[in-house]
Amino acid sequence: MKENKIDTITNLFEGSEIRSIWDSEKEDYYFSVVDVIGVLTESSDPSHYWRTLKSRMIKEGNETVTNCDRFKLKAKDGKMRITDMLDTEGIFRLIESVPSPKAEPFKMWLASLGKERIDEVFDPEKAIDRAIDYYRKKGYSDIWIEVRLKGILNRKKLTDVWKENGITENYEYAMLTNEIYKNWSGMKAQEYKDFKGIRKESLRDNMTDIEVILTDLGEVTARDIAKQERPQGLKDNLAVAKRGGEVSKIARESYELQTGHSAITNKNSIGGRYIDTSKQLN
């Protein structure tokens, strides 16, 4: 597969995450085998189940195993780890080797995914609709969803400006993002996730309305300053990111003064129930 043709995404089957890669050249998905095993068997240790099954299939000369691709995907601990992947055809074959009452529903789900993805290429609004449905099923309010989707667009605009200003490495984007977080919340992104008790989940998907707004404010400010002043390289862009975070810090302090409680909460949305801002902890 060509590098620029690969899009790493997460699909949901009955609420369970299936880590996936979309190959737009082949117009097909590659799925994490362990994740598929997990939803089919409901095993407490799907990795062990797959190792055992894989060993048996190798001994039987099953070609499904030999056709496994391996890609780095983000694991539950947040680290990028090599993961066995199979395309749609391979997953259909794998299902035949895993006795499960969910086999047929899973096959139907697989069959619908490819068509949905191709449809989204020709009509991007379908992808937005799918994102909205995903968040609603997780229990988020429409107001939160609207803010979140706008934040995604603003984030894209910010990274585009950073790229124009000479930022090219992933670690540089991470450092700039951390600078914004640190200056308004007092925590880097990973520290914020630890505070909320989350690992692989999206930090912003576990924020309350005010947390999302403050994050967006810092990023939009950093973007507008960077567009105006055109800082070049990591050092100068870090200084601008800090200024963006400081604007959010001022807004946070004003919010807390007026409401009498903290804009930051250690609550998260794990389990599909989002936390109401009125129930934040001081």
Side-chain angles (χ1 to χ4, degrees), residues 111-170:
S112 69
L113 272 187
K115 181 180 182 301
E116 288 177 0
R117 185 67 176 180
I118 294 169
D119 287 345
E120 288 169 5
V121 173
F122 294 99
D123 185 359
E125 185 177 340
K126 292 181 182 295
I128 298 172
D129 290 341
R130 189 156 67 97
I132 292 171
D133 288 342
Y134 165 80
Y135 283 125
R136 281 177 173 169
K137 288 176 182 178
K138 284 284 188 178
Y140 297 94
S141 70
D142 284 353
I143 294 174
W144 186 96
I145 295 171
E146 181 179 0
V147 173
R148 180 71 175 97
L149 292 179
K150 287 180 179 178
I152 293 171
L153 178 58
N154 287 331
R155 172 70 183 181
K156 180 65 170 65
K157 291 179 180 178
L158 173 61
T159 56
D160 286 346
V161 172
W162 280 342
K163 187 175 181 179
E164 292 170 4
N165 292 351
I167 302 303
T168 58
E169 303 293 336
N170 287 337

Side-chain angles (χ1 to χ4, degrees), residues 5-47:
K5 295 290 186 180
I6 294 174
D7 184 16
T8 303
I9 52 182
T10 295
N11 288 299
L12 288 177
F13 172 72
E14 296 184 353
S16 297
E17 293 184 341
I18 308 291
R19 290 170 296 165
S20 319
I21 287 175
W22 171 256
D23 179 2
S24 58
E25 183 178 11
K26 186 180 176 182
E27 293 188 344
D28 198 6
Y29 277 105
Y30 287 77
F31 300 93
S32 164
V33 177
V34 169
D35 293 353
V36 173
I37 292 291
V39 299
L40 290 177
T41 66
E42 298 183 338
S43 169
S44 60
D45 189 354
S47 294

Side-chain angles (χ1 to χ4, degrees), residues 61-79:
N62 192 310
E63 292 185 1
T64 300
V65 175
T66 60
N67 290 333
C68 263
D69 287 278
R70 308 191 80 201
F71 297 98
K72 278 191 174 182
L73 294 180
K74 185 177 287 188
K76 289 184 178 180
D77 59 8
K79 296 181 179 180

Side-chain angles (χ1 to χ4, degrees), residues 212-250:
V212 172
I213 290 169
L214 290 172
T215 300
D216 290 347
L217 176 61
E219 293 194 338
V220 169
T221 303
R223 181 198 72 201
D224 288 350
I225 296 173
K227 285 175 66 177
Q228 180 69 27
E229 300 182 1
R230 289 300 176 187
Q232 293 299 307
L234 180 60
K235 181 179 178 181
D236 290 345
N237 276 284
L238 279 170
V240 170
K242 180 178 180 180
R243 290 159 65 187
E246 287 172 347
V247 169
S248 286
K249 181 181 179 181
I250 294 170

